[in-house]
């Protein structure tokens, strides 16, 4: 995978970054969304594929992106397809900070050191090229305004943005209500994005390990139309924090 194209985790993080404050919206759910975005990006790259409510590795060769390849290797080591809710619900060891650090190295954001309450060190992040964030946002806006089915990447980005609660950040207030509703509706345009987005929401809602019904889901044993069962999250290790990123990030 060439580095000329931004990955979905990077785009989701840039969407969540507030240009005025340098903080990220929905920080807790955003970590879940970034883990889900990794799955969608790996699927778009042909490395994994959905197997009902599970994720199966179909091509373990590296993508060329170190963070994605770490996730791919961890999936490969499982030896069997893993439930999306298990992967997304696993502990996120600094995943958001890892991607912020990556964006900083790529020159897309720069870190601004500060203090919380005059004591605790904090780090805020400012976009260095706002045109990138505007381009990402305009894709969502276009899909919402026109009603034309978006490309799979944009559809998945919309699904993840809705799943982590960015709708109220992107389209606030009563005037943004219809846009938030249409953002939610875009989830149906990408099966993998929809699977992952539902898993993100299931983890947030603490859904028990009982199958739910959904006509859009692939059937598994026991009947047609069975939606993935959301199970209690088990730990899936992610990349450790980089040294400079161990500092507190203000939310």
């Amino acid at each position: 995978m060439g580095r000329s194209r931004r990955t979905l985790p990077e785009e989701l993080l840039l969407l969540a970054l507030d240009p005025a404050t340098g903080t990220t919206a929905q920080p807790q759910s955003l970590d879940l969304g970034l883990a889900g975005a990794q799955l969608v990006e790996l699927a778009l790259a042909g490395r994994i594929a959905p197997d009902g409510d599970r994720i199966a590795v179909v091509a373990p060769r590296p993508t060329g992106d170190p963070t994605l390849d770490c996730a791919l290797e961890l999936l490969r080591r499982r030896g069997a397809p893993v439930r999306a809710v298990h992967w997304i619900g696993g502990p996120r060891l600094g995943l958001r900070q890892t991607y912020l650090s990556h964006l900083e190295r790529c020159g897309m954001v720069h870190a601004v050191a500060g203090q919380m309450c005059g004591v605790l060190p904090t780090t805020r992040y400012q976009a260095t090229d706002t045109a990138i964030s505007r381009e990402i946002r305009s894709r969502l806006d276009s899909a919402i305004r026109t009603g034309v089915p978006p490309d799979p990447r944009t559809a998945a980005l919309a699904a993840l943005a809705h799943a982590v609660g960015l709708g109220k950040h992107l389209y606030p207030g009563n005037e943004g209500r219809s846009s938030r509703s249409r953002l939610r509706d875009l989830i149906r345009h990408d099966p993998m994005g929809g699977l992952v987005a539902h898993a993100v929401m299931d983890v947030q809602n603490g859904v028990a390990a009982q199958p739910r019904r959904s006509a859009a889901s692939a059937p598994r044993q026991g009947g047609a139309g069975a939606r993935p069962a959301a199970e209690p999250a088990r730990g899936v290790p992610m990349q450790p924090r980089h040294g400079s990123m161990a500092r507190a990030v203000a939310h």
Side-chain angles (χ1 to χ4, degrees):
M1 175 186 299
R3 292 301 302 133
S4 60
R5 184 172 64 183
R6 295 180 301 274
T7 64
L8 274 173
E10 294 165 7
E11 292 196 327
L12 183 65
L13 185 52
L14 287 171
L15 264 185
L17 193 63
D18 189 317
T21 65
T23 61
T24 54
Q26 304 298 110
Q28 279 70 44
S29 57
L30 184 59
D31 284 350
L32 302 176
L34 291 172
Q38 288 184 317
L39 295 181
V40 178
E41 189 64 51
L42 288 170
L44 289 171
R47 301 315 196 265
I48 65 174
D51 178 13
D53 66 332
R54 298 174 184 268
I55 303 299
V57 175
V58 295
R61 66 184 183 280
T63 66
D65 179 294
T67 309
L68 288 175
D69 288 341
C70 177
L72 180 61
E73 175 61 15
L74 290 171
L75 286 166
R76 186 194 66 78
R77 289 178 186 173
R78 288 298 189 94
V82 59
R83 291 186 187 276
V85 290
H86 282 179
W87 175 264
I88 292 168
R92 308 267 73 86
L93 299 181
L95 186 58
R96 181 162 32 101
Q97 287 82 358
T98 294
Y99 271 106
L100 283 168
S101 179
H102 170 73
L103 290 177
E104 184 180 16
R105 289 194 303 271
C106 292
M108 293 190 211
V109 302
H110 71 274
V112 180
Q115 288 185 330
M116 180 184 298
C117 302
V119 178
L120 298 175
T122 63
T123 306
R124 299 174 184 269
Y125 294 86
Q126 300 290 341
T128 56
D129 187 352
T130 56
I132 295 175
S133 297
R134 288 197 302 269
E135 183 274 329
I136 297 170
R137 174 68 179 270
S138 69
R139 282 163 43 208
L140 288 187
D141 291 344
S142 177
I144 286 173
R145 285 195 315 269
T146 64
V148 176
D151 62 274
R153 182 173 293 273
T154 301
L157 181 62
L160 289 162
H162 166 70
V164 303
L166 287 184
K168 60 187 177 183
H169 167 70
L170 300 171
Y171 307 104
N174 288 333
E175 64 276 14
R177 183 177 301 172
S178 61
S179 293
R180 293 195 299 271
S181 177
R182 288 193 289 270
L183 179 70
R184 179 196 63 217
D185 291 343
L186 290 175
I187 200 171
R188 71 182 186 273
H189 289 294
D190 180 61
M192 183 65 180
L195 167 65
V196 169
H198 281 298
V200 168
M201 291 185 285
D202 283 350
V203 171
Q204 292 181 85
N205 293 332
V207 176
Q210 295 296 328
R212 299 192 310 180
R213 296 290 177 180
S214 171
S217 302
R220 291 192 63 80
Q221 58 180 356
R227 211 187 82 72
E231 299 188 3
R234 292 192 295 230
V236 180
M238 297 300 297
Q239 286 192 6
R241 299 188 183 190
H242 296 289
S244 63
M245 301 309 298
R247 294 175 295 174
V249 179
H251 305 315

